[in-house]
Amino acid sequence: MTRSFCSLLGSVGAVFFGLMHFGSACLAAQGSEAQYQRAASLGERLRGAVRGADLGYRWSEDGSRLWFERPGEDGKPAAFEIVVKTGERVASTSLDEIEADSPWALRLEPTRAWARTRRNGARVQLRFVNRTEGALELEWLDGSGSAKSYGTVAAGESRVQDTVAGHLWRVSTEGGESEALGMIEAPAGGGAVFVDGPAGRGEERRRPRRGESGPDAEELDIQVPEGERRVGRPSMAPDGKHVAYLFETAGEHREVTLVEAAPSDQLQPRAQTFRYDKPGDALDVRMPRAFSVESGEEVELDRGQFPDPWSIRDLHWSEDGTRLYFVHVQRGHRVVKLIELDVRSGVTRAVIDERPETFFDYANKLYVRHLEATDEVLWMSERSGWNHLYRVNRSTGEVASLTTGLGEETVVRAVESVDEEARTVRLRLRGLYPDQDPYHDHFARIDIDTGAATPLTFADGTHSLEFSPDGAAYVATWQRVDHAPVRELRRSSDGGLIAELSRADASAASNVLARLPARFVAPGRDGKTPIHGILHWPSDFDPSRRYPVIEEIYAGPHDAHVPKTFRLNREPQRLAELGFIVVQIDGMGTNWRSKAFHDVAWKNLADAGFPDRIAWMKAAAQQYPEMDLTRVGIYGGSAGGQNAMRAVLDHATFYRAAAADCGCHDNRMDKVWWNELWMGWPVDDSYLASSNLEHASRLAGALLLTVGAMDRNVDPSSTMQVVQALIEADKDFDLIVFPSGGHGAGSSKYGRRRRDDFFIRNLYGHEPRLESPPASHPLPQTNAPR
């Protein structure tokens, strides 16, 4: 195909980047008001473009039948019921038309103390049918448990309430002496809730506190040493002869003060002060102590086995009450032990002693499950170089691997359940199939004695499972960024397929998007390790043109961050609508690959996988020549804000412009747990090497800093200290402070618009939202010229 004049002009201009001018005919649409409006309307334009992605399903009470929806020929969902044992399928009634005697009707559940919404799913509707003699009030219980009223339903009437699966609703009588009748968690598919009266009284329990065991532990009159305090509730041995407590010595208790300069309810500014421990601070220290219930005497134990504790956790008694186990995570996260205390002799020993050369990812990979019947413990470890599950004999220390035989690059993502009677565990795994994306979630059941695996998922996609009430079957939903969701009904015994329930249809999305998001894999810095990422194109993509590239970055080592599920209306796609190709990449240093892959982040958060990201984009541009790597931008928030600014400090010959929101620009300024886990303790020179503050004078590109002045997650002073360093270095930059904004304020509507403007100016070279851009558009030269 002959390339257009605009495309050729852009290519020639790229050679002389510092002097480049584009003709107005090429760029008239880029950054125009109309284009901004089109980007803002992306969600509306995609509405209805995917059929069957959020269809509902519901198990019968005994698990023998499943009600489900699938796309009908008329475009509306069609309802069916399937007999799980045989796979026999019959047509059914939609949930919004069922009657009160239907087995699929919903009833209120007893009210639970401290109930709150814990998950967000697909959009659904609940039809509340009031069969009482008085009006009812509907309240949504948010993530903190606070109730928000959504109005009333008159006696004998019904009302349809829009919600999402997983949201919790409480139904109460209306009036001054209102009474909570019960609650309902919106299921997938929604349905009709028939309210006849109170649902009964649930088990009322106060909210548990960290470190507590059961409510029956006996309180002893013991002397608390000066300078310590007892925390949590006691942990009583099964035989009742001994009891364990945690005692705490207070640390420094650093406080951060924020000034709300523009509060919404008063003229004068207001200060907020809260506790905020930072790396290197003296922290609260907890220590276990065990006592004889009969005599009250303390059991002597060797505290030398667990020095400098970051945490003492997972207290557990042996079945005969003679041994107390607990997990010791040493500060610095390079030593993790399972400690055993024999309360008869006071002998303390380490059953398991993990000492990685770098860090033990206790936040994501610490798992302990005691198997009392066999005197064993299930333990997670990366000792082989990959995260696996092990069975350890508590008496002998003998170790048996349960998962290293699953595959060379398989890692255990999580233990989903343990069946001690059947001696099996169900695991969420990554890297199970070598020919698939190693970040896909798959599931398998593992025999604890032999390690034999029964795979439960198979398709080339990332999976989620929901089991029937009797556990005999499950619904497996799989999808990818480039493949709409598919739902399957499978047997739990062998993972066998009973029936495909539904397959979402995304073909109509081609009427909106020229291309769906695409997966791409290329070798990283070492020339061999596969690096995975995705690309987003503008909906009006023209393959004859060349587009600036923007990377959305978040290189936090606690996880992997490139999406694996199917959703077209993501922020990178909205940004692409302004005339960019937007990419997302998981470079080295992020989680859920090998230990060596992860260790790149150790004491080196400045790396952020940039050598892998740059190699990936160069390889992608070979396959997709419309990517103009002479015009590359980058943006991110929080840890991604730190990463984005680092791009124009260390890699400004590749990244031209960076937008950094609420960045933790110096790891000494940020929360203690996250930063010490990856940067280590005590605080050393590695913190300086990774600090944007210390290296601000190296800025060699365009930089937009945004920060919420009321950010309680990342101390906003971290951004302001970078601002001061840039001023002292006489560097040009843009700054937006949101006086009442919290964490992520740069992703607000105003923040996104200003970020869009920033990239239009610095990657297209003209003022945004002009219907008739100037005849020539020199790209701005910010800070150091190339």
Side-chain angles (χ1 to χ4, degrees):
M1 178 183 293
T2 303
R3 296 180 67 184
S4 69
F5 171 75
C6 292
S7 175
L8 290 172
L9 182 61
S11 298
V12 173
V15 177
F16 305 98
F17 189 80
L19 302 176
M20 181 169 59
H21 290 68
F22 291 114
S24 59
C26 303
L27 298 178
Q30 301 310 318
S32 68
E33 180 65 30
Q35 194 177 38
Y36 272 66
Q37 291 176 358
R38 188 179 67 193
S41 69
L42 177 65
E44 183 61 34
R45 289 186 289 125
L46 283 171
R47 190 181 302 277
V50 182
R51 294 178 52 206
D54 296 328
L55 297 180
Y57 62 93
R58 186 175 305 161
W59 298 100
S60 64
E61 190 172 349
D62 62 359
S64 64
R65 299 172 72 87
L66 179 75
W67 176 95
F68 69 97
E69 293 177 313
R70 64 188 308 166
E73 295 181 0
D74 60 356
K76 297 180 180 179
F80 296 88
E81 296 178 28
I82 189 168
V83 178
V84 173
K85 188 173 183 179
T86 64
E88 177 186 0
R89 189 182 73 188
V90 296
S92 186
T93 305
S94 63
L95 294 182
D96 61 354
E97 296 177 348
I98 62 173
E99 300 297 333
D101 59 353
S102 167
W104 308 112
L106 296 173
R107 303 285 177 182
L108 294 181
E109 300 175 354
T111 302
R112 303 188 305 275
W114 297 99
R116 60 187 176 92
T117 292
R118 296 179 180 270
R119 63 185 181 92
N120 297 304
R123 289 199 167 274
V124 297
Q125 290 185 331
L126 289 177
R127 177 164 60 96
F128 289 91
V129 182
N130 184 358
R131 307 208 307 174
T132 71
E133 297 180 354
L136 301 176
E137 182 178 13
L138 305 182
E139 296 172 303
W140 172 55
L141 302 179
D142 66 14
S144 66
S146 299
K148 293 178 171 55
S149 178
Y150 274 73
T152 60
V153 185
E157 300 293 330
S158 65
R159 172 181 164 177
V160 175
Q161 176 64 54
D162 290 327
T163 184
V164 300
H167 275 209
L168 199 61
W169 291 84
R170 184 170 64 196
V171 178
S172 305
T173 57
E174 187 190 24
E177 299 295 328
S178 63
E179 174 191 4
L181 301 182
M183 57 182 51
I184 185 75
E185 181 178 297
V193 185
F194 292 88
V195 183
D196 300 300
R201 187 172 298 277
E203 182 182 1
E204 293 292 337
R205 294 187 302 175
R206 67 175 182 81
R207 191 176 191 176
R209 294 192 298 266
R210 183 180 179 183
E212 290 184 349
S213 60
D216 299 326
E218 183 174 334
E219 296 283 352
L220 296 182
D221 184 17
I222 59 176
Q223 184 175 359
V224 178
E226 186 176 355
E228 296 185 26
R229 69 185 186 98
R230 203 173 71 191
V231 294
R233 301 185 71 197
S235 177
M236 179 66 71
D239 62 1
K241 294 182 178 179
H242 290 85
V243 62
Y245 298 87
L246 287 175
F247 283 74
E248 183 177 83
T249 303
E252 182 177 344
H253 292 191
R254 180 191 296 274
E255 292 183 335
V256 166
T257 298
L258 306 179
V259 176
E260 188 175 9
S264 60
D265 59 343
Q266 66 185 47
L267 176 64
Q268 299 301 324
R270 176 170 46 214
Q272 294 184 15
T273 299
F274 56 97
R275 181 177 172 182
Y276 193 100
D277 295 324
K278 296 184 178 183
D281 286 353
L283 304 177
D284 296 344
V285 174
R286 291 186 176 184
M287 282 287 183
R289 299 176 69 185
F291 298 84
S292 165
V293 171
E294 182 178 356
S295 67
E297 293 183 357
E298 183 173 0
V299 178
E300 294 293 333
L301 69 162
D302 179 11
R303 294 193 177 188
Q305 286 279 6
F306 40 96
D308 299 322
W310 166 264
S311 66
I312 300 290
R313 49 178 283 179
D314 300 303
L315 272 64
H316 175 87
W317 287 96
S318 62
E319 194 169 34
D320 62 4
T322 62
R323 292 167 292 166
L324 173 67
Y325 296 92
F326 56 89
V327 173
H328 165 238
V329 180
Q330 190 169 325
R331 192 166 183 185
H333 313 300
R334 301 182 71 179
V335 177
V336 177
K337 297 180 181 180
L338 176 64
I339 300 291
E340 177 193 84
L341 166 64
D342 189 324
V343 294
R344 298 165 299 183
S345 63
V347 173
T348 305
R349 69 183 183 95
V351 178
I352 301 173
D353 190 344
E354 296 274 358
R355 295 175 181 264
E357 292 184 5
T358 54
F359 58 86
F360 188 107
D361 183 7
Y362 81 94
N364 296 286
K365 297 170 183 172
L366 178 54
Y367 177 82
V368 55
R369 171 68 177 258
H370 293 270
L371 305 176
E372 284 302 321
T374 52
D375 193 29
E376 295 172 310
V377 62
L378 298 180
W379 180 264
M380 207 129 68
S381 171
E382 291 184 289
R383 62 183 64 182
S384 72
W386 303 82
N387 196 47
H388 285 292
L389 188 66
Y390 296 85
R391 173 171 50 87
V392 181
N393 185 291
R394 295 188 309 196
S395 297
T396 66
E398 182 182 359
V399 179
S401 171
L402 300 185
T403 55
T404 53
L406 290 177
E408 184 178 347
E409 297 190 359
T410 301
V411 299
V412 176
R413 178 64 180 84
V415 178
E416 297 288 313
S417 66
V418 178
D419 186 334
E420 293 193 39
E421 183 176 345
R423 295 281 290 175
T424 60
V425 294
R426 187 172 74 247
L427 303 177
R428 180 153 43 113
L429 304 164
R430 289 186 173 176
L432 182 60
Y433 298 108
D435 59 342
Q436 292 189 23
D437 186 326
Y439 297 97
H440 284 167
D441 280 339
H442 281 282
F443 295 82
R445 186 172 58 254
I446 308 295
D447 187 289
I448 292 175
D449 294 310
T450 66
T454 302
L456 300 176
T457 54
F458 308 89
D460 184 9
T462 197
H463 288 71
S464 60
L465 303 186
E466 182 172 317
F467 281 79
S468 60
D470 61 357
Y474 57 94
V475 172
T477 302
W478 67 270
Q479 57 191 304
R480 299 192 305 260
V481 293
D482 58 356
H483 196 295
V486 177
R487 280 189 178 148
E488 302 168 335
L489 179 63
R490 291 184 174 272
R491 288 187 301 273
S492 299
S493 58
D494 60 1
L497 180 67
I498 299 172
E500 183 180 289
L501 302 177
S502 64
R503 182 175 289 263
D505 179 7
S507 59
S510 62
N511 298 327
V512 180
L513 301 178
R515 293 180 177 178
L516 293 181
R519 301 179 294 158
F520 185 76
V521 185
R525 69 186 76 186
D526 59 3
K528 59 182 180 180
T529 302
I531 302 297
H532 292 253
I534 60 176
L535 304 96
H536 306 262
W537 285 271
S539 63
D540 61 350
F541 172 72
D542 178 356
S544 68
R545 284 188 49 197
R546 302 190 76 223
Y547 293 84
V549 177
I550 298 177
E551 179 182 0
E552 181 191 73
I553 189 169
Y554 191 93
H558 56 280
D559 208 346
H561 307 285
V562 175
K564 301 299 171 184
T565 57
F566 185 84
R567 185 162 68 86
L568 299 180
N569 187 23
R570 287 189 167 100
E571 172 60 16
Q573 184 62 57
R574 186 204 64 81
L575 181 57
E577 294 301 282
L578 295 178
F580 302 105
I581 294 175
V582 184
V583 302
Q584 297 171 274
I585 309 159
D586 278 320
M588 292 186 187
T590 52
N591 212 341
W592 304 115
R593 298 283 290 276
S594 69
K595 185 73 167 78
F597 191 101
H598 202 187
D599 279 351
V600 170
W602 171 240
K603 291 184 174 293
N604 187 27
L605 291 181
D607 180 276
F610 280 120
D612 311 300
R613 298 169 186 277
I614 293 171
W616 184 95
M617 278 187 266
K618 288 180 177 179
Q622 293 294 313
Q623 180 168 331
Y624 302 106
E626 57 269 19
M627 296 173 66
D628 183 355
L629 296 189
T630 65
R631 294 181 288 162
V632 180
I634 188 169
Y635 75 97
S638 195
Q642 178 184 23
N643 305 146
M645 182 175 175
R646 198 71 189 198
V648 287
L649 299 183
D650 292 352
H651 305 280
T653 57
F654 186 82
Y655 294 97
R656 181 175 183 84
D661 180 42
C662 57
C664 40
H665 295 290
D666 189 305
N667 300 104
R668 297 168 297 178
M669 290 290 293
D670 194 29
K671 63 193 76 65
V672 62
W673 78 266
W674 195 91
N675 295 273
E676 283 195 8
L677 178 50
W678 316 117
M679 295 296 293
W681 175 85
V683 173
D684 58 18
D685 287 347
S686 66
Y687 280 78
L688 302 181
S690 287
S691 168
N692 292 346
L693 171 64
E694 296 291 329
H695 302 282
S697 62
R698 297 211 306 249
L699 178 64
L703 175 64
L704 169 64
L705 295 170
T706 53
V707 63
M710 304 308 295
D711 190 340
R712 297 172 69 95
N713 186 329
V714 174
D715 187 345
S717 294
S718 185
T719 295
M720 302 314 294
Q721 289 175 358
V722 163
V723 167
Q724 183 62 36
L726 292 171
I727 291 172
E728 293 173 359
D730 195 25
K731 294 293 183 177
D732 295 336
F733 62 96
D734 295 323
L735 170 67
I736 303 173
V737 177
F738 296 82
S740 299
H743 195 61
S747 293
S748 64
K749 183 178 180 181
Y750 180 79
R752 289 197 309 271
R753 198 268 293 169
R754 291 293 303 273
R755 186 180 66 205
D756 296 345
D757 293 352
F758 171 79
F759 285 128
I760 291 292
R761 289 190 186 100
N762 288 282
L763 300 182
Y764 271 110
H766 64 74
E767 281 300 301
R769 298 183 308 286
L770 292 178
E771 293 303 324
S772 299
S776 62
H777 315 277
L779 284 169
Q781 297 299 297
T782 304
N783 296 308
R786 305 300 168 90

